[in-house]
């Protein structure tokens, strides 16, 4: 194929699998609308940047309101014609299981793409990719289990509670986990909905591949559509489109607020998974060796670009110095570099903009009077690299303790009592997750009750399971993904009354 927007495989010296090269060079890298790969009506394209080098390696169609409209209309038609929605449950399950198998077959491609535009290190990509496969296989089992109910009534009435799909679901995704795309799409699909997916402009490729695999698995054309482009154009147009019944958004608080406000004009259903400034509480009775390693990795993992990054580390004053020394020791030797190198521990951040944001916050932290115990500088290489950075002497009211940095930057804050620990942990606009490190079972339970967050991990961090609901409270958003609650998110209950009199 010789389109302006097929990849020229100018992907540096990266050792990509042949399948990945084929995907990049032979696919029309556009939108997937009504089962067709199409370019933008106005021919606009946008660059995809490799964060390992800072160089453009491919161009992708950049859509706007026209593409949002075409995709929304296609999704509406596909929903109304019922080919997917009314497919018998076991047939839906067979299609979704095929999708899971196709994702397996494309494991290498998904890993390559995670590294190439997502900047996820080679050692971590298998976990991201496996999670997407697991989510697909988990929801593949749901269509036959979405049951209604009968309400108790007198003899002359029958009242059914029927669970119906909500229609066209808009899914707006961030860039930090491209291969987790099934997380946003497979639950609404399992419920019989149609989907318009807008991936982040930084990571458009995996979503396109995913959409193509949905078609190959047997999802009818128009049921899964993918539109590419910037948030304020194609994304906003989707939120504003009358044929889109719900919006599931993952990303920043600022954009989440804008989306909720825009959706309000249509009284559209919204779920928001926003950021965090998640605390990790380390008590004096913790297993210090385990806790210090885990606490550090909870911030270095994917260079801190994970919504649940445990970026505020609250440590009991009696163990503070030893704990910090251990984290510094364990982190000093980490290799920062290209995510294609098998021995890299910390890869790049996603973009120049993100790198600038991280650098700016580190300057703010210095100016606020916090101490740099490790790192604090850009890493000396092309691409968007920043050294793992530990700030000590942080007060919880400093900007580096309150605002989501989304980079490898940790703020360490000492505390003197359990009550003070809960108070500091909760003194944030966010409420996504928290970690608790203690061997005292009473303290662990107390913590789980006191912490105002969507997830508490005790003596572990960042575990997830397809069956365990995930989401936040306060400014971290509302709505839950994963597990059975996601089925409720993407259906509504219709009550049907029959009078037998
Ligand atoms: P963003 O929240 O602006 O973008 C996320 C998604 O929303 C992208 O697909 C984007 O195109 C879309 N979008 C942007 N504006 C939109 C609008 N008006 N209407 C509809 N869709 C829109 O995040 P961005 O700008 O990429 O990153 C900024 C900061 O957000 C990061 O530094 C980080 O702190 C935070 N963030 C948090 C994430 C999380 O998982 N919690 C993920 C990504 C970013
Ligand atoms: Mg933005």
């Amino acid at each position: 194929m010789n389109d302006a927007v097929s990849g020229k495989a100018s992907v540096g010296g990266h050792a990509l699998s042949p399948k990945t090269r084929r995907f990049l060079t032979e696919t029309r890298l556009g939108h997937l609308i009504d089962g067709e790969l199409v370019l933008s009506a106005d021919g606009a394209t946008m660059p995809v940047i490799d964060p390992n080098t800072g160089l453009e390696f491919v161009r992708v169609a950049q859509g706007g309101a026209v593409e949002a409209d075409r995709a929304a209309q296609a999704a509406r038609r596909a929903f109304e014609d019922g080919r997917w929605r009314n497919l018998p449950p076991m047939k839906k399950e067979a299609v979704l299981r095929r999708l899971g198998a196709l994702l397996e077959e494309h494991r290498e491609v998904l890993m390559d793409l995670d590294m190439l535009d997502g900047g996820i290190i080679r050692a971590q990509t298998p976990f991201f990719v496996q999670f997407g496969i697991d989510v697909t296989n988990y929801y593949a089992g749901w269509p036959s289990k979405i049951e209604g109910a009968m309400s108790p009534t007198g003899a002359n009435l029958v009242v059914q509670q029927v669970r119906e799909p909500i229609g066209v679901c808009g899914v707006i995704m961030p860039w930090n986990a491209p291969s987790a795309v099934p997380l946003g799409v497979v639950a609404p699909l399992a419920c019989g909905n149609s989907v318009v997916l807008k991936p982040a402009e930084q990571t458009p490729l995996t979503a396109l591949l995913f959409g193509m695999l949905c078609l190959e698995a047997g999802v009818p054309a128009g049921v899964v559509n993918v539109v590419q482009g910037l948030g304020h154009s194609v994304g906003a147009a989707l939120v504003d489109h009358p044929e889109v019944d719900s919006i599931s958004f993952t990303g920043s608080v600022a954009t989440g607020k804008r989306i909720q406000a825009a959706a309000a004009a249509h009284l559209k259903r919204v779920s928001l998974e926003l950021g965090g400034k998640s605390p990790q509480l380390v008590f004096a009775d913790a297993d210090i060796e385990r806790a210090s390693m885990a606490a550090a990795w909870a911030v270095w993992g994917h260079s801190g670009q994970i919504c649940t990054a445990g970026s505020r580390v609250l440590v009991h004053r009696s163990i503070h110095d030893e704990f910090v020394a251990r984290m510094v020791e364990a982190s000093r030797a980490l290799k920062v570099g290209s995510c294609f190198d098998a021995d890299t521990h910390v890869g790049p951040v996603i973009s120049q903009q993100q790198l600038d944001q991280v650098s700016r916050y580190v300057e703010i932290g210095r100016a606020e009077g916090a101490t740099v115990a490790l790192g604090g500088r850009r890493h000396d290489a092309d691409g968007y690299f920043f050294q793992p950075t530990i700030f000590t002497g942080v007060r919880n009211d400093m900007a580096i303790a309150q605002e989501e940095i989304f980079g490898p930057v940790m703020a360490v804050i000492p505390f003197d009592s359990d009550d003070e620990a809960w108070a500091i942990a909760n003194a944030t606009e966010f409420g996504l997750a928290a970690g608790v490190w203690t061997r005292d079972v009473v303290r662990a339970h107390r913590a789980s009750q006191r912490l105002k967050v969507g997830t508490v991990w005790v003596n572990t961090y960042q575990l997830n399971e397809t069956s365990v609901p995930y989401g936040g409270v306060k400014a971290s958003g509302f709505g839950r993904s994963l597990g059975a609650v996601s089925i409720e998110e993407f259906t509504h209950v219709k009550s049907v009354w029959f009078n037998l009199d």
Side-chain angles (χ1 to χ4, degrees):
M1 173 157 310
N2 229 355
D3 281 317
V5 289
S6 69
K8 296 296 180 284
S10 54
V11 280
H14 302 321
L16 302 176
S17 83
K19 243 185 187 169
T20 307
R21 286 190 184 274
R22 259 202 314 283
F23 170 71
L24 288 173
T25 50
E26 293 174 14
T27 310
R28 175 178 286 170
L29 299 176
H31 318 277
L32 181 66
I33 298 176
D34 218 359
E36 302 287 339
L37 290 173
V38 295
L39 304 181
S40 296
D42 64 1
T45 62
M46 60 187 185
V48 187
I49 308 286
D50 172 2
N52 297 285
T53 60
L55 301 175
E56 168 183 332
F57 66 93
V58 86
R59 293 188 77 83
V60 170
Q62 178 180 330
V66 173
E67 283 70 34
D69 178 55
R70 290 176 57 193
Q73 302 286 359
R76 169 60 57 196
R77 284 195 302 275
F79 183 71
E80 298 302 338
D81 80 16
R83 266 182 302 154
W84 176 246
R85 171 189 187 176
N86 297 330
L87 195 66
M90 293 314 289
K91 295 217 159 114
K92 273 202 202 82
E93 293 196 4
V95 170
L96 294 177
R97 277 200 305 276
R98 259 196 313 272
L99 176 60
L102 284 167
L103 290 168
E104 289 267 10
E105 277 175 34
H106 288 77
R107 189 185 284 275
E108 273 176 290
V109 185
L110 294 165
M111 285 172 56
D112 280 346
L113 295 180
D114 268 359
M115 292 187 275
L116 197 51
D117 66 9
I120 297 173
I121 62 169
R122 188 181 288 282
Q124 270 188 325
T125 52
F127 301 100
F128 281 88
V129 170
Q130 187 59 48
F131 184 62
I133 294 170
D134 287 347
V135 168
T136 304
N137 291 334
Y138 171 79
Y139 284 110
W142 265 101
S144 63
K145 297 162 192 77
I146 302 172
E147 297 189 340
M150 296 273 282
S151 300
T153 54
N156 292 325
L157 282 172
V158 173
V159 181
Q160 297 174 336
Q161 299 174 27
V162 185
R163 217 165 244 293
E164 293 191 333
I166 51 187
V168 176
C169 300
V171 179
I172 300 178
M173 296 213 2
W175 38 261
N176 56 337
S179 61
V181 54
L183 178 61
V185 179
V186 184
L189 266 190
C191 298
N193 297 287
S194 293
V195 174
V196 181
L197 167 64
K198 194 209 90 64
E201 52 272 31
Q202 297 87 345
T203 54
L205 301 169
T206 308
L208 193 62
L209 173 65
F210 175 81
M212 291 162 65
L213 296 181
C214 286
L215 274 180
E216 194 178 335
V219 177
V223 173
V224 175
N225 305 274
V226 182
V227 289
Q228 312 282 10
L230 305 181
H232 64 77
S233 62
V234 72
L238 213 51
V239 177
D240 219 29
H241 200 288
E243 295 295 352
V244 176
D245 297 302
S246 73
I247 293 288
S248 311
F249 170 76
T250 306
S252 66
V253 173
T255 300
K257 285 179 179 169
R258 214 167 286 140
I259 285 176
Q260 190 178 6
H266 306 269
L267 294 174
K268 197 169 283 194
R269 220 193 247 214
V270 178
S271 71
L272 303 173
E273 285 193 25
L274 309 178
K277 194 74 190 180
S278 298
Q280 306 190 67
L281 289 68
V282 187
F283 292 91
D285 64 1
D287 176 337
I288 293 182
E289 195 180 330
R290 271 179 67 192
S292 58
M293 282 303 284
W297 277 106
V299 191
W300 312 151
H302 197 9
S303 301
Q305 303 168 111
I306 297 180
C307 11
T308 50
S311 51
R312 277 191 306 150
V313 178
L314 318 186
V315 188
H316 192 267
R317 201 178 297 276
S318 64
I319 57 164
H320 174 276
D321 293 355
E322 184 194 346
F323 197 81
V324 170
R326 279 176 183 264
M327 287 196 299
V328 168
E329 197 45 46
S331 307
R332 196 188 292 287
L334 295 180
K335 187 186 164 212
V336 180
S338 166
C339 43
F340 286 90
D341 296 340
D343 58 347
T344 290
H345 298 105
V346 180
V349 295
I350 189 75
S351 61
Q352 184 65 48
Q353 181 194 325
Q354 200 63 27
L355 185 63
D356 292 344
Q357 169 167 311
V358 174
S359 307
R360 186 165 45 82
Y361 271 114
V362 169
E363 286 324 303
I364 290 172
R366 286 198 172 98
E368 285 178 313
T371 304
V372 176
L374 181 74
R377 284 193 313 278
R378 280 191 64 167
H379 185 66
D380 191 20
D382 296 336
Y384 309 130
F385 300 98
F386 204 90
Q387 295 175 344
T389 297
I390 298 179
F391 274 112
T392 56
V394 179
R395 283 193 329 269
N396 195 51
D397 61 357
M398 291 179 179
I400 55 166
Q402 288 295 316
E403 294 170 28
E404 185 176 51
I405 299 174
F406 231 54
V409 181
M410 176 196 294
V412 183
I413 305 173
F415 67 83
D416 290 298
S417 67
D418 289 15
D419 282 340
E420 192 188 4
W422 324 138
I424 297 173
N426 288 331
T428 164
E429 68 168 325
F430 295 109
L432 191 56
V436 178
W437 295 91
T438 178
R439 286 189 269 217
D440 179 335
V441 68
V442 174
R443 180 177 272 148
H445 279 279
R446 189 83 68 217
S448 76
Q449 293 169 356
R450 293 291 173 87
L451 294 167
K452 295 177 181 157
V453 293
T455 296
V456 178
W457 284 291
V458 180
N459 293 332
T460 183
Y461 203 76
Q462 264 165 352
L463 287 188
N464 50 34
E465 260 298 332
T466 52
S467 59
V468 180
Y470 173 80
V473 299
K474 296 161 65 184
S476 294
F478 49 82
R480 293 289 179 271
S481 54
L482 296 173
V485 284
S486 207
I487 299 296
E488 286 166 27
E489 295 260 350
F490 292 107
T491 52
H492 62 73
V493 176
K494 180 187 274 178
S495 301
V496 187
W497 295 70
F498 299 90
N499 180 8
L500 310 185
D501 232 358

